């Protein structure tokens, strides 16, 4: 009899527990802060996140971090004050946004990151995104594919010390290790098209032999393409980028760029929302939800253009 | 000996920054044999042109006792607004050029109005404009670059006559016009008077507010024009373009002898200052100096160059 009582009690408890944890989707509120809506990629990321939320019927609050870690930490603190169910953060800097993770944990509100990570990522519930290191590997692999006998290359880095710059460089260096790749010049172009163009103009007039340009993003790569075009050297120097932004896809299709790397903003944004929703409904999630990079060569370009709705 | 030293210091005081310029020029020519080639000199001129145009405008605001921190954002706003009219099949190229200049003028006019009539410090007024203009540039484009521009649109920024880039020609024309206005007109003298001593300018019957507003409008027009030059050079209009242009322009002008306290300076000085900064960056790229050292070297040279300039000028008194 006692046993039956216990069993019933346990069952009842279990029942109420599931009732409590199975929160209705309409009642869930997710707060999200993106590193800055001045970036083409981040806009795609947040658009995908918002579209998925509308599809699922979840209430979301979206903040623009304005490329400022302090602002993002403040926005997460605001989410805590508003008692949202889950916080999604796309941190602008790994260390600057770490306090936001601590603040959410202290308040007992689950927090996940997307696209980029924080230094205390282990304290967050999940990372939905791609591994920057892999994009560096993929870009370098394209170079090795095109130059099996080795090449003299120049490298354009993003903002020195940023997470993307460090990880992409590590991926590139590890892939080139032991191969006959000679870096004749390397410099930061600060992710900027103008600086990439200036750099390339300067290098071209330095008289160095250059077979390929490895730029850590498409903006700098496109700047290099223009400098090469102006010198009438199109086709003699291969240019590689990362991001697969619209104009780069057009350039890869035309052949003025040899390749770029596609980071799936749409998948990252949509899955960040789904993972947050799972957490809000009490499901357990893996600490990493990986979304692989994809190399884009001339033959692949039309497919990706269609994917991004580019004519 | 004493005479000789005095003669040297006199020479140095009049031409301090130009001597620094020549020393660095010769040093770079000796250190790298690709530096002193016509292709590379054209690179430097081309790369310095856009920032020089802004530095010329900045000189107007600095001389009349102000400054403009909104330049970088206004470049972006003017560029993306005009690029919308610069796509193939769009109106003739004069339309986007006018759009860029008008957008710049409106921003400049608002800056001038807020500074002169609103009595808001230029630092704050133009910082506000900087944020607002950047926001509008993002709004207009939804943060997406505009590319695939018509050849007639990019001609000013990418075309050339013979081997001389249009950019450089455009910059030299603006330099000539600005010099004309500042040195040869009554309005030019009024600008110096307002920046030198606002009160005595007012007492002597100068419409101080109008002069200030006019300076900001000129700055805005040149910034807008720089927007179309840069969009032409990069063959795209990007809402993030022009970042830090205001700081480079202020640095170029001040290095070129324009006083940050107002009342003193020449536009050609601002152009030489901008050229100096570009030349240093170019030289360091050719020498393949690491990115970390580049920033340190650039920072040190900026401060050093102005220090020499200030010291030699101080001795004159």
């Amino acid at each position: 009899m006692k046993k039956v009582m216990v069993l019933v009690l346990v069952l009842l408890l279990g029942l109420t527990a599931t009732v409590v944890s199975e929160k209705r989707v309409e009642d869930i509120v997710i707060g999200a802060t993106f590193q800055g809506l001045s970036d083409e990629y981040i806009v795609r990321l947040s658009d995908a996140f918002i579209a998925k939320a509308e599809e699922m019927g979840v209430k979301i609050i979206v903040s623009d971090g304005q490329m400022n870690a302090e602002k993002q930490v403040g926005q997460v603190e605001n989410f805590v004050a508003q008692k949202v169910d889950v916080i999604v953060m796309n941190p602008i800097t790994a260390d600057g946004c770490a306090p936001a993770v601590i603040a959410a944990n202290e308040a007992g509100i689950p927090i996940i990151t997307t696209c980029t990570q924080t230094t205390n990522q282990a304290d967050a519930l999940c990372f939905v995104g791609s591994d920057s290191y892999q994009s560096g590997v993929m870009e370098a692999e394209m170079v090795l594919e095109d130059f099996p006998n080795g090449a003299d290359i120049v490298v354009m880095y993003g903002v020195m010390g940023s997470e993307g710059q460090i990880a992409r460089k590590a991926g590139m260096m590890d892939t080139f290790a032991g191969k006959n790749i000679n870096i004749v010049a390397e410099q930061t172009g600060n992710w900027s098209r103008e600086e990439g163009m200036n750099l390339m103009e300067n290098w071209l007039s330095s008289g160095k032999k250059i077979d390929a340009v490895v730029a850590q993003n498409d903006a700098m790569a496109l700047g290099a393409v223009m400098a090469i075009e102006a010198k009438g050297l199109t086709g003699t120097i291969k240019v590689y980028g990362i991001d697969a932004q619209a104009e780069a896809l057009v350039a890869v299709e035309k052949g003025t760029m040899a390749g770029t790397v596609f980071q799936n903003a749409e998948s990252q944004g949509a899955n960040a929302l789904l993972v947050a929703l799972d957490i809000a409904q009490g499901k357990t999630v893996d600490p990493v939800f990986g979304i692989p990079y994809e190399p884009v060569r001339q033959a692949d370009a039309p497919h990706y253009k269609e994917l991004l709705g580019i004519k | 000996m004493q005479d000789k030293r005095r003669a040297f210091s006199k020479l140095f005081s009049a031409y301090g920054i130009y001597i620094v310029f020549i020393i660095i020029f010769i040093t770079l020519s000796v250190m790298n044999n690709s530096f002193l080639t016509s292709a590379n000199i054209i690179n430097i001129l081309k790369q310095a042109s856009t920032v020089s145009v802004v530095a010329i405008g900045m000189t107007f605001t600095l001389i009349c006792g102000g400054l403009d921190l909104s330049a970088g954002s206004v470049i972006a706003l003017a560029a993306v607004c005009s690029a919308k009219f610069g796509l193939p099949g769009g109106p003739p190229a004069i339309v986007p050029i006018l759009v860029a200049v008008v957008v710049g003028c409106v921003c400049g006019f608002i800056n001038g109005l807020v500074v002169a009539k609103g009595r808001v410090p230029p630092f704050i007024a133009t910082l506000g404009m900087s944020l607002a203009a950047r926001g509008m540039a993002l709004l207009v484009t939804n943060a997406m670059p505009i590319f695939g521009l018509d050849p007639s649109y990019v001609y000013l920024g990418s075309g050339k006559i013979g081997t001389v880039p249009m950019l450089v020609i455009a910059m030299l024309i603006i330099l000539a016009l600005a010099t004309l206005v500042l040195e040869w007109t009554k309005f030019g003298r009024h600008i110096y008077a307002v920046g030198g001593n606002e009160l005595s300018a007012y007492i002597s019957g100068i419409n101080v507010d109008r002069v200030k507003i006019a300076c900001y409008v000129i700055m805005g027009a040149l910034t807008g024009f720089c927007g179309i030059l840069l969009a032409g050079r990069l063959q795209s209009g990007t809402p993030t373009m022009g970042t830090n242009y205001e700081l480079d322009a202020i640095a170029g002008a001040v290095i070129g002898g324009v006083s940050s306290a107002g009342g003193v300076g020449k536009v050609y000085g601002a152009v030489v200052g901008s050229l100096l900064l570009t030349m240093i960056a170019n030289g360091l790229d050719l020498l393949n100096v690491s990115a970390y050292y580049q920033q340190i070297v650039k920072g040190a040279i900026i401060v050093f160059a102005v220090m020499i300039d200030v010291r030699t000028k101080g001795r004159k008194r």
Side-chain angles (χ1 to χ4, degrees), chain A residues 37-41 43-44 47 160-161 165 183-188 190 193-195 197-199 201-208 223 226 229-231 245-248 250 310, chain B residues 32-34 37 39-40 43-44 46-47 50 138 142-148 160 230 233-236 238-240 242 245 281-282 284-292 294-295:
Chain A
L37 300 180
S38 59
D39 184 279
E40 184 187 350
Y41 185 84
V43 170
R44 274 170 52 204
D47 281 354
M160 299 306 277
Q165 183 267 329
I183 298 178
V184 292
E186 51 184 340
Q187 194 54 251
T188 179
N190 291 314
R193 182 176 178 125
E194 190 188 4
E195 289 190 40
M197 187 175 182
N198 287 350
L199 266 182
E201 284 172 348
N202 293 344
W203 282 334
L204 284 175
S205 68
S206 74
K208 289 187 182 90
M226 287 192 301
E229 257 170 2
K231 280 262 178 181
Q245 72 174 54
E247 195 180 353
V250 175
I310 306 156
Chain B
N32 189 295
N33 51 17
S34 339
T37 55
N40 194 53
N43 277 351
I44 295 174
K46 209 161 53 175
Q47 290 166 12
T50 44
L138 290 163
N142 195 23
M144 306 288 173
I146 301 170
F147 62 95
K160 42 188 162 176
L230 197 58
R233 174 161 159 74
L234 300 176
Q235 300 185 9
S236 75
T238 319
T240 51
Y245 254 68
N282 168 276
L284 294 176
D285 281 349
L286 291 184
L287 294 169
N288 203 15
V289 175
S290 105
Y292 304 125
Q294 276 218 17
Q295 298 190 20

Side-chain angles (χ1 to χ4, degrees), chain B residues 211-223:
Chain B
V211 169
K212 280 188 180 173
I213 293 172
C215 283
Y216 282 97
V217 171
I218 291 172
M219 170 67 186
L222 293 181
T223 310

Side-chain angles (χ1 to χ4, degrees), chain B residues 241-280:
Chain B
M241 69 203 282
T243 315
N244 286 343
Y245 254 68
E246 60 281 352
L247 298 181
D248 288 343
I250 292 171
V254 172
I255 286 175
V258 180
S259 166
S260 50
V264 177
K266 306 274 182 211
V267 274
Y268 59 78
V271 172
V272 172
S274 306
L275 270 172
L276 179 67
L277 285 176
T278 311
M279 183 175 78
I280 293 167

Side-chain angles (χ1 to χ4, degrees), chain B residues 42 45-46 155 159-169 172:
Chain B
I42 285 178
L45 289 172
K46 209 161 53 175
Y155 180 69
K160 42 188 162 176
I161 296 177
T163 52
V164 187
M166 278 305 293
L167 261 180
V168 179
I169 296 170
L172 290 175

Side-chain angles (χ1 to χ4, degrees), chain A:
Chain A
M1 192 59 203
K2 230 178 184 178
K3 264 184 189 164
V4 175
M5 279 283 282
V6 170
L7 203 71
V8 168
L9 245 150
V10 166
L11 269 173
L12 264 174
L13 262 173
L15 210 67
T16 47
T18 47
V19 165
V20 169
S21 66
E22 270 288 330
K23 213 171 169 178
R24 283 166 45 212
V25 173
E26 307 86 271
D27 299 335
I28 294 170
V29 180
I30 297 170
T33 164
F34 293 95
Q35 54 179 244
L37 300 180
S38 59
D39 184 279
E40 184 187 350
Y41 185 84
I42 303 301
V43 170
R44 274 170 52 204
L45 181 73
S46 78
D47 281 354
F49 182 85
I50 295 164
K52 198 72 186 170
E54 275 166 13
E55 186 193 322
M56 305 300 289
V58 193
K59 220 176 284 162
I60 52 169
I61 312 167
V62 175
S63 302
D64 176 0
Q66 296 165 37
M67 300 296 172
N68 184 331
E70 214 178 306
K71 285 219 171 77
Q72 283 200 289
V73 173
Q75 285 161 355
V76 168
E77 284 165 356
N78 291 344
F79 291 148
V80 167
Q82 293 169 70
K83 297 199 170 60
V84 300
D85 295 287
V86 185
I87 296 167
V88 177
M89 177 168 62
N90 159 228
I92 176 78
T93 57
D95 46 358
C97 291
V101 176
I102 298 169
N105 281 343
E106 276 172 0
I109 297 178
I111 182 166
I112 68 170
T113 57
T114 181
C115 186
T116 48
Q117 309 187 28
T118 59
T119 43
N120 56 353
Q121 183 63 40
D123 296 334
L125 267 174
C126 181
F127 165 64
V128 181
S130 318
D131 180 5
S132 294
Y133 177 90
Q134 286 304 327
S135 62
V137 170
M138 228 167 246
E139 191 182 23
E141 278 171 349
M142 289 193 279
V143 177
L144 292 177
E145 210 174 280
D146 292 344
F147 297 96
N149 301 319
D152 293 321
I153 65 164
V154 290
V155 185
M156 294 180 184
Y157 297 114
V159 173
M160 299 306 277
S162 62
E163 188 267 345
Q165 183 267 329
I166 295 169
R168 285 174 186 180
K169 182 182 180 183
M172 177 189 77
M173 287 302 190
D174 290 351
T175 313
F176 284 154
K179 300 290 194 296
N180 192 16
I181 296 289
N182 179 23
I183 298 178
V184 292
E186 51 184 340
Q187 194 54 251
T188 179
N190 291 314
W191 308 121
S192 136
R193 182 176 178 125
E194 190 188 4
E195 289 190 40
M197 187 175 182
N198 287 350
L199 266 182
M200 198 61 209
E201 284 172 348
N202 293 344
W203 282 334
L204 284 175
S205 68
S206 74
K208 289 187 182 90
K209 179 180 165 283
I210 300 169
D211 297 318
V213 181
V214 178
Q216 284 194 326
N217 78 348
D218 281 340
M220 295 186 291
L222 289 164
V225 165
M226 287 192 301
I228 292 168
E229 257 170 2
K231 280 262 178 181
L233 295 171
T234 308
T236 57
I237 301 175
K238 289 196 188 307
V239 182
Y240 304 83
I242 295 176
D243 282 348
Q245 72 174 54
E247 195 180 353
L249 289 174
V250 175
V252 171
E253 193 178 30
K254 266 201 311 196
T256 50
M257 268 176 73
T260 182
V261 178
F262 178 73
Q263 188 177 359
N264 201 331
E266 286 66 30
S267 173
Q268 284 179 354
N271 280 302
L273 189 275
L274 292 178
V275 168
L277 195 56
D278 279 351
I279 293 171
Q281 294 177 318
K283 294 178 193 153
T284 49
V285 293
D286 288 333
V288 174
F289 190 104
I291 290 154
Y293 281 100
E294 299 157 37
V296 182
R297 306 302 290 251
Q298 199 163 22
D300 318 313
H303 162 69
Y304 288 97
K305 275 174 69 186
E306 203 188 313
L307 201 72
L308 299 184
I310 306 156
K311 285 160 272 145

